[in-house]
Amino acid sequence: MNNRLKIETTSFSLHIMAMIFMLCDHLWGTIINGNDWLTCIGRLTFPIYAFMIVEGYFHTKDFKKYVKRLLLFAVVSEIPFNLAMGSSVFYPIHQNVLWTFLIALGLIHWNEKVKENKLWKRIIIGITTLAVAYIGGIITFVDYYNAGILMVLTFYFFRGKLWWHYLGQLLCMWYINIELLGGFGYEVDLFGTTQFITRQGFALLALIPIWLYRGKQGYHNKMLQYGYYVFYPLHLLILGVLKFL
């Protein structure tokens, strides 16, 4: 009899964690400024959602419905996002994160359509995908800009449970979060020397629950599924209104 304790995450637990982390981050960015521990926790949000978007692509029964649902909530979330993050109904220089995921999904779908092509064609399309993600994320002003789209693609190109999948995810996450998004951070005295810890580096901790995922859905029903989507615009709307009180 195997009595070993198995520690793993499910789709349900990842969604719940991501929502809690996101709420912490948005509380810091709106009505509880100055509590940096909230945004440090919040750094784990995007990688988990990026990973779940990729998993959603491969597990959805209808890709078109999946995209339409995301598109609907991207539009619905626009004004709540603008109020919370820009203190205005109109905030053209920053778009909500669902647009980031929609662009990434389009690029993933394009790559999946050419999987049967010759290797050299797939390599060219893969490189083109990265170029489009890098440039497109900047000119569209989506949340997390090019880094956000690249993070989703990281979990697509290195999707799997082999050692090189984990290594690829770790190295890409390091580059995206430390090199592309690094900047703000904290100086810490460690063993007699001063070390700089970038705030965005906390995002790498999200790899722990992500790597503990074994493809299980966990608790699920239709109401909960739409609850995941509704939570995003709803909490932004509440925070946006509270900012003006």
Side-chain angles (χ1 to χ4, degrees), residues 31-217:
I31 62 175
I32 311 181
N33 304 116
N35 292 270
D36 276 18
W37 65 272
L38 286 170
T39 193
C40 289
I41 293 174
R43 297 304 90 200
L44 281 72
T45 306
F46 192 91
I48 294 176
Y49 274 126
F51 173 76
M52 294 308 297
I53 282 291
V54 176
E55 290 302 298
Y57 176 85
F58 286 101
H59 287 96
T60 185
K61 296 178 181 178
D62 191 324
F63 175 68
K64 289 183 178 180
K65 284 186 178 180
Y66 185 37
V67 170
K68 287 179 181 178
R69 189 161 56 243
L70 269 178
L71 179 59
L72 170 63
F73 280 95
V75 174
V76 170
S77 301
E78 197 57 32
I79 290 179
F81 179 84
N82 294 343
L83 289 172
M85 300 303 161
S87 300
S88 172
V89 172
F90 186 62
Y91 189 46
I93 61 171
H94 198 178
Q95 310 305 316
N96 74 72
V97 74
L98 297 183
W99 298 110
T100 311
F101 294 148
L102 282 166
I103 294 173
L105 277 174
L107 293 172
I108 290 171
H109 194 58
W110 181 35
N111 278 264
E112 284 296 299
K113 285 291 186 180
V114 299
K115 284 189 73 171
E116 303 304 319
N117 287 0
K118 292 182 178 179
L119 180 60
W120 67 270
K121 288 185 179 180
R122 289 169 56 192
I123 292 174
I124 291 176
I125 291 172
I127 294 173
T128 304
T129 295
L130 295 177
V132 171
Y134 197 91
I135 298 171
I138 296 175
I139 64 177
T140 56
F141 297 109
V142 292
D143 201 20
Y144 276 85
Y145 300 95
N146 51 11
I149 303 174
L150 291 172
M151 214 179 303
V152 179
L153 292 175
T154 291
F155 292 111
Y156 168 66
F157 286 123
F158 294 101
R159 182 173 184 262
K161 296 296 182 183
L162 299 177
W163 68 268
W164 61 272
H165 293 136
Y166 293 123
L167 180 60
Q169 290 176 19
L170 178 61
L171 292 177
C172 289
M173 284 282 289
W174 179 275
Y175 172 74
I176 293 169
N177 290 283
I178 305 299
E179 299 299 328
L180 286 184
L181 295 175
F184 295 105
Y186 314 95
E187 289 187 349
V188 179
D189 290 327
L190 190 65
F191 302 117
T193 62
T194 300
Q195 302 293 329
F196 180 79
I197 299 177
T198 179
R199 180 191 296 165
Q200 190 60 36
F202 287 97
L204 273 71
L205 295 176
L207 289 173
I208 297 172
I210 288 171
W211 287 351
L212 289 173
Y213 175 72
R214 295 294 181 269
K216 294 182 180 179
Q217 188 174 56

